Amino acid sequence: MALEEIYGILEATGIPVAYQKFDEENAPDLPIMVYSVPYSNNFSADGRVYGKISHIQIDLYTKHKDMASEDKVENALSSFYWSKQEEYLEDERCYRIMYEVEV
């Protein structure tokens, strides 16, 4: 699956989304999402990459605990196996909900 397809899936939520980051001067109000590919988890055979697997991290940032936004993301990711972590960023005064999928 190409990154463009992931972008399309996330964009369909109606939540603004960007790869890696938004430009500070053009950053929309929260909630927003950013996604990236921090590493690969390739499948090997005979000492070579047999299947490329990208580990995709999707970060949802919200001002308050926002179950409606989380539901939108989780529904968009319903065809994937995903995991989820949450933290409150004191300096930024927002929540970061991190979803991870592999494709």
Side-chain angles (χ1 to χ4, degrees):
M1 176 172 284
L3 282 178
E4 295 82 16
E5 292 174 278
I6 295 295
Y7 176 81
I9 289 167
L10 297 175
E11 184 182 43
T13 64
I15 299 169
V17 61
Y19 186 79
Q20 205 88 29
K21 66 182 183 103
F22 284 94
D23 293 328
E24 284 190 39
E25 61 273 355
N26 296 325
D29 293 332
L30 299 180
I32 61 170
M33 278 188 288
V34 295
Y35 68 105
S36 63
V37 183
Y39 63 89
S40 64
N41 190 18
N42 295 335
F43 178 75
S44 67
D46 299 325
R48 298 179 184 191
V49 173
Y50 184 74
K52 294 192 313 184
I53 301 171
S54 295
H55 182 92
I56 299 175
Q57 181 176 316
I58 302 155
D59 294 320
L60 170 66
Y61 294 93
T62 61
K63 188 168 183 91
H64 306 284
K65 181 69 175 166
D66 185 347
M67 292 305 298
S69 292
E70 290 180 47
D71 287 343
K72 288 178 184 179
V73 175
E74 291 169 17
N75 287 333
L77 298 176
S78 65
S79 63
F80 299 94
Y81 175 80
W82 50 266
S83 63
K84 174 180 173 180
Q85 297 178 39
E86 177 181 313
E87 66 179 328
Y88 184 76
L89 305 174
E90 291 287 341
D91 292 344
E92 303 295 328
R93 295 184 178 178
C94 69
Y95 286 90
R96 174 182 172 235
I97 296 86
M98 182 177 63
Y99 295 89
E100 296 178 305
V101 299
E102 289 189 339
V103 295

